[in-house]
């Protein structure tokens, strides 16, 4: 097969890149080792930044988002006896949307699904340091395939084949001493906007996926077994950590639960020859700042602009500047995610506890501090390098 861009990974980053390139008349092929059903069902992020929403709408993917997405103009920060709202619209004029990654992927597969090879095996990249890189794989029927491309993009996550293909560079990593026990429950949300709660027993969060589905999290130990958490135990602990006089937590059937470890990871380079990395293949952030999916979308926005200029005009300057431009945002979001995580998760250290409470009180009483949180949370504008 011959294409212009070969993309490894049919998550939101790979599918969005394929879609945006198609709007520019650039051909692509996407390969994915999982089934389409698995990709469509993965429960991941649910908060979309302003620029992520604007990009999806501008690319023709806004119909279901407008119908089912929930615009949020703020979040609540809470600690025992206190709950304060950070007003994004008043502080920045921008908002976020609640619209699950599963829904974003369904929208993307609706326009790009026919260009994806699902359930492939033995994926490998070849000659990426030349101007004729190749992608080889075995399709779902067992037939070996080779794709000749001009550019290869690795959107296949931390454990994919793309990142190890790049010669060893440098990586920064932190494993956090806690994890999240997350649940999806068939119960209307008990809050109008997300609640981030600090509690001596550990962090808790109340989010949602729709007017009928709630998404909630508890801080637990990294090695915690989900089997040790019955539904009753989960609801009881959420009730304690999210408890506030005059407010009650609705409960209902839990339809999904799992434990997610938390880490920060950034690796460089994000490019080697004609191979470019986007999303989790190059960086991972803890979910506290709601940045993972949005960072991947920002990478894609920058790379789309660079590839568009390359194929339309033969320009290489934006491709050469891709890594520096992407990394500026990566490090800003990595810091914000670390800061939110450090402020809200308990360690058992009494000094840390007092420092966290002081920081929370400051953010909720200082307009400057609240504005800093708000502008990072709603997302900084995409820096694509486009000057027209």
């Amino acid at each position: 097969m011959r294409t212009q861009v070969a993309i490894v990974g049919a998550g939101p980053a790979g599918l969005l890149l394929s879609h945006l390139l198609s709007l520019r008349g650039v051909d692509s092929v996407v390969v994915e080792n999982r089934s389409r059903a698995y990709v469509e069902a993965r429960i991941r992020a649910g908060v979309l930044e302003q620029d992520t929403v604007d990009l999806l709408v501008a690319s023709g993917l806004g119909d279901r988002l407008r119908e089912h997405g929930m615009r949020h103009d703020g979040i609540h920060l809470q600690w025992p006896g206190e709950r304060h709202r950070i007003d994004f619209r008043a502080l920045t004029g921008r908002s976020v949307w609640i619209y699950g990654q599963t829904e974003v992927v369904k929208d993307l597969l609706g326009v790009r699904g026919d260009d994806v090879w699902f359930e492939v095996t033995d994926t490998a990249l070849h000659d990426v340091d030349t101007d004729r890189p190749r992608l080889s794989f075995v399709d779902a029927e067992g037939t070996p395939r080779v794709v000749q491309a001009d550019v290869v993009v690795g959107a296949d996550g931390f454990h994919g084949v793309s990142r190890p293909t790049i010669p060893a560079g440098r990586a920064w990593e932190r494993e956090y001493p806690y994890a999240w026990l997350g649940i999806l429950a068939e119960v209307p949300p008990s809050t109008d906007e997300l609640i981030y709660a600090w509690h001596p027993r550990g962090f808790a969060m109340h989010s949602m996926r729709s007017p009928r589905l709630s998404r909630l999290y508890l801080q637990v130990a990294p090695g915690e077994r989900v089997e040790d958490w019955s539904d009753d135990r989960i609801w009881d602990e959420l009730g304690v950590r999210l408890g506030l006089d005059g407010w009650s937590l609705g409960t209902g059937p839990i339809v999904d639960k799992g434990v997610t470890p938390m880490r920060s990871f950034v690796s460089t380079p994000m490019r080697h020859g004609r191979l470019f990395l986007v999303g989790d293949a190059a960086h991972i952030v803890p979910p506290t700042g709601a940045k993972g999916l949005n960072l991947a979308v920002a990478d894609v926005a920058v790379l789309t602009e660079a590839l568009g200029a390359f194929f339309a005009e033969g320009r290489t300057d934006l491709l050469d500047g891709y890594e520096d431009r992407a990394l500026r945002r990566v490090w800003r979001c990595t810091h914000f995610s670390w800061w939110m995580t450090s402020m809200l998760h308990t360690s058992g250290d009494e000094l840390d506890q007092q420092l966290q409470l002081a920081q929370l009180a400051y953010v909720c009483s200082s307009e400057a501090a609240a504005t800093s949180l708000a502008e990072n949370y709603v997302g900084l504008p995409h820096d694509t390098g486009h000057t027209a």
Side-chain angles (χ1 to χ4, degrees), residues 33-241:
N33 65 351
R34 303 283 193 169
S35 69
R36 178 166 180 160
Y38 178 89
V39 170
E40 287 185 324
R42 278 186 293 206
I43 297 175
R44 293 290 189 272
V47 178
L48 303 184
E49 294 177 356
Q50 178 84 59
D51 273 23
T52 297
V53 170
D54 292 347
L55 181 62
L56 293 174
V57 171
S59 66
L61 298 172
D63 290 347
R64 292 181 67 245
L65 197 161
R66 289 192 190 97
E67 182 179 356
H68 302 293
M70 296 177 285
R71 193 186 89 180
H72 282 194
D73 296 334
I75 59 171
H76 301 283
L77 294 181
Q78 177 176 317
W79 59 97
E82 302 279 350
R83 181 179 293 172
H84 296 267
R85 182 171 183 264
I86 305 297
D87 189 332
F88 296 159
R89 295 292 291 182
L91 294 166
T92 70
R94 291 157 67 85
S95 303
V96 296
W97 273 255
I98 304 301
Y99 191 66
Q101 178 174 311
T102 51
E103 303 306 316
V104 175
V105 169
K106 288 175 185 176
D107 294 340
L108 287 164
L109 286 173
V111 295
R112 301 307 300 169
D114 292 342
D115 297 290
V116 181
W117 293 75
F118 289 102
E119 299 182 76
V120 307
T121 57
D122 299 327
T123 304
L125 308 181
H126 313 273
D127 301 328
V128 297
D129 55 350
T130 74
D131 60 1
R132 294 179 59 81
R134 293 177 295 118
L135 165 66
S136 65
F137 63 95
V138 177
D139 69 21
E141 283 70 46
T143 303
R145 304 277 183 176
V146 177
V147 180
Q148 182 74 56
D150 298 302
V151 172
V152 178
V153 177
D156 49 345
F158 180 82
H159 297 290
V161 301
S162 301
R163 186 175 60 84
T165 302
I166 293 181
R170 183 170 183 184
W172 297 262
E173 185 171 12
R174 171 166 296 171
E175 299 280 351
Y176 292 90
Y178 24 74
W180 276 11
L181 170 62
I183 67 165
L184 189 67
E186 291 180 338
V187 58
S190 304
T191 176
D192 56 341
E193 294 170 334
L194 276 63
I195 302 171
Y196 287 78
W198 182 98
H199 193 276
R201 292 168 64 148
F203 169 75
M205 181 178 176
H206 190 333
S207 183
M208 64 281 291
R209 287 295 178 268
S210 76
R212 297 177 300 279
L213 285 175
S214 295
R215 184 78 165 143
L216 302 104
Y217 301 94
L218 288 167
Q219 175 188 340
V220 296
E224 200 79 23
R225 288 166 20 100
V226 71
E227 297 82 6
D228 294 334
W229 285 83
S230 67
D231 290 5
D232 287 343
R233 183 186 177 192
I234 290 172
W235 286 121
D236 288 346
E237 191 63 24
L238 284 167
V240 170
R241 299 189 195 182

Side-chain angles (χ1 to χ4, degrees), residues 21 24 26 303-314:
L21 290 175
R24 294 170 175 259
V26 178
L303 188 56
T304 297
E305 196 71 36
L307 290 172
F310 174 69
F311 287 112
E313 308 167 42

